[in-house]
Amino acid sequence: MELNELTTEERVALVALLEMVVAADRDVSYEELAQIKRVVHALGDRAYRAAVIAADERFESNNAARAFIATIERPEARELIYETALEAAVAQSVTDSESELLTSLQKQWNLPVRFERPDST
């Protein structure tokens, strides 16, 4: 499955998740911007902007976005959304909040483990 095959709702979920991952460390790296540009290119500028607007209008908080993201049902869309967000997270060092978000989503969606943050002990 390719990003341009996501439904409108799946694109909104992707964009919301990317926004949370990229904003997690309060600093957008060059690598994260490059990943976002790849997503924009794959979805198309118009579809990406529509998804950003929809996400910004619909979700007043990260909790609201997370609740919506959890409603995505197609397994192939879930995996693609997760993998895309994971790529953005690992583009730079993965923060604790990124790790928590992605681990929680991986478990909720019952996806295979793609990333395990090493213990910091």
Side-chain angles (χ1 to χ4, degrees):
M1 172 174 233
E2 301 293 326
L3 288 172
N4 63 355
E5 297 175 277
L6 294 173
T7 67
T8 300
E9 296 295 289
E10 292 163 350
R11 288 191 303 264
V12 172
L14 169 64
V15 166
L17 183 59
L18 281 174
E19 286 180 355
M20 287 188 289
V21 166
V22 169
D25 62 0
R26 297 179 181 15
D27 181 40
V28 180
S29 70
Y30 172 80
E31 294 83 3
E32 289 169 328
L33 282 175
Q35 178 63 14
I36 291 171
K37 285 182 181 182
R38 284 191 288 276
V39 171
V40 171
H41 180 73
L43 292 178
D45 191 56
R46 179 178 283 168
Y48 180 81
R49 286 180 191 265
V52 168
I53 291 167
D56 290 346
E57 289 176 351
R58 290 166 93 168
F59 311 126
E60 295 181 19
S61 68
N62 283 350
N63 287 339
R66 286 175 87 151
F68 174 77
I69 292 165
T71 68
I72 300 302
E73 294 184 0
R74 276 196 314 162
E76 57 275 3
R78 285 178 169 186
E79 190 161 334
L80 182 59
I81 291 167
Y82 178 83
E83 290 291 332
T84 304
L86 179 62
E87 288 175 14
V90 299
Q92 198 173 14
S93 62
V94 179
T95 66
D96 288 339
S97 58
E98 289 170 330
S99 177
E100 183 278 324
L101 173 63
L102 291 171
T103 300
S104 172
L105 186 59
Q106 176 266 322
K107 289 176 182 174
Q108 189 171 38
W109 279 353
N110 197 30
L111 296 171
V113 175
R114 299 276 199 270
F115 168 78
E116 288 187 31
R117 186 174 178 89
D119 289 333
S120 56
T121 56

